Amino acid sequence: MHVCDSTNEVAKRQSDMPHGTLFIADMQTNGKGRSGKSWESEKNCGIYMSLLLKPEMSTVDVSQITLVAAVAICRALEANTQIKWPNDIVIGTKKVCGILTEKTGDAVICGIGINVNTRAFPEEIWNIATSLYIETGKKHNRDYICAKVMNEFEELYDIFRTQGFGAIRDEYASLCATLDKEVRLIRNNEEVTAYAYDISENGELLIETDEGQFFVRSGEVSVRGIYGYV
Ligand code: BTN
């Protein structure tokens, strides 16, 4: 597609298509981010795609699919990328890619936005957003990256499907920029400072506060570094 509102929305409208169908656009007029935010989707600059999945497991954990996708993207981008738990791909202290996974009926839609050749961002996000072009000083081929992400995802999804997230946990943890750091957890305007020390077999963030050790599930809270976004 050249243009659509949001590849996630297109995938939802066509969720009767087979497992593995990929919806991809050159531009989105209503790109969606997490927590009701919008996703900057300038024409031909980024990768805007949504993968339609029909998981066989009846009680699939949608948030774990997002973590699997995050590892696939890091493998594919190779540009010193790390994961800000749970699912932002960062280079240094700035975000280069976001993932929005949604469930509709028996389908799961994994929406991926990668800032590839974007040269500048709106004022509100320039200090937290980056692109492969900005980081490397050269243009990148979007088709090539997209194919690489899908190849890596296919391999990892197979491991996830047959062995569970536990089999991917170590690689996820090795890529996770949130670990071994003081973080701020923000829930309903309440902030708690904690030390993030590990990732569980299910993909939860393990934290320690003055009150003890806790598991944090993605979607429950937003996590920030003590000094900035990562
Ligand atoms: C985030 O907030 O970090 C998630 C961003 C997800 C953006 C992608 S772009 C392709 C797909 N279609 C959308 O509308 N959103 C996702």
Side-chain angles (χ1 to χ4, degrees):
M1 280 171 288
H2 289 303
V3 185
C4 67
D5 50 353
S6 148
T7 55
N8 270 32
E9 292 304 314
V10 175
K12 268 185 217 166
R13 294 195 289 265
Q14 298 187 37
S15 62
D16 53 343
M17 298 284 275
H19 170 80
T21 306
L22 183 68
F23 299 86
I24 180 157
D26 288 327
M27 178 183 164
Q28 300 181 117
T29 52
N30 195 15
K32 300 191 312 170
R34 292 173 74 208
S35 315
K37 292 191 186 133
S38 61
W39 184 258
E40 198 52 36
S41 307
E42 207 187 326
K43 191 172 179 194
N44 295 340
C45 284
I47 292 174
Y48 317 113
M49 63 183 181
S50 301
L51 183 61
L52 181 68
L53 300 166
K54 305 270 173 83
E56 296 151 4
M57 335 57 139
S58 53
T59 55
V60 67
D61 186 333
V62 173
S63 60
Q64 289 179 352
I65 292 184
T66 314
L67 307 186
V68 174
V71 174
I73 294 160
C74 281
R75 280 190 184 180
L77 295 186
E78 294 170 357
N80 295 325
T81 45
Q82 287 188 294
I83 304 164
K84 173 182 170 290
W85 185 88
N87 56 359
D88 287 349
I89 311 299
V90 297
I91 300 179
T93 58
K94 294 184 175 182
K95 175 163 165 175
V96 69
C97 165
I99 307 167
L100 176 65
T101 306
E102 299 182 281
K103 199 164 188 299
T104 168
D106 62 347
V108 173
I109 292 154
C110 182
I112 299 173
I114 309 177
N115 302 328
V116 181
N117 294 320
T118 321
R119 286 167 189 249
F121 290 95
E123 211 178 314
E124 318 84 75
I125 55 168
W126 71 265
N127 58 335
I128 53 161
T130 192
S131 69
L132 295 178
Y133 176 83
I134 292 170
E135 295 299 323
T136 62
K138 58 176 198 222
K139 280 189 82 175
H140 293 256
N141 183 307
R142 289 180 300 145
D143 293 344
Y144 176 73
I145 295 172
C146 176
K148 258 179 115 184
V149 171
M150 284 303 117
N151 281 336
E152 297 292 358
F153 184 82
E154 195 172 0
E155 187 186 320
L156 286 161
Y157 188 76
D158 212 41
I159 298 174
F160 170 66
R161 190 176 62 78
T162 52
Q163 300 169 52
F165 179 76
I168 295 166
R169 189 218 80 96
D170 284 0
E171 185 171 356
Y172 183 95
S174 73
L175 291 164
C176 185
T178 311
L179 293 185
D180 302 321
K181 280 205 185 113
E182 295 282 335
V183 292
R184 283 183 297 138
L185 305 176
I186 306 156
R187 181 194 278 137
N188 307 329
N189 292 334
E190 243 182 71
E191 257 189 56
V192 180
T193 304
Y195 181 72
Y197 68 93
D198 209 353
I199 301 293
S200 77
E201 290 287 301
N202 294 322
E204 295 120 327
L205 184 68
L206 300 180
I207 58 155
E208 188 165 294
T209 70
D210 294 343
E211 262 128 65
Q213 297 182 328
F214 301 93
F215 291 82
V216 183
R217 286 180 63 81
S218 77
E220 281 181 352
V221 292
S222 96
V223 178
R224 295 275 179 280
I226 284 287
Y227 300 110
Y229 165 68
V230 177

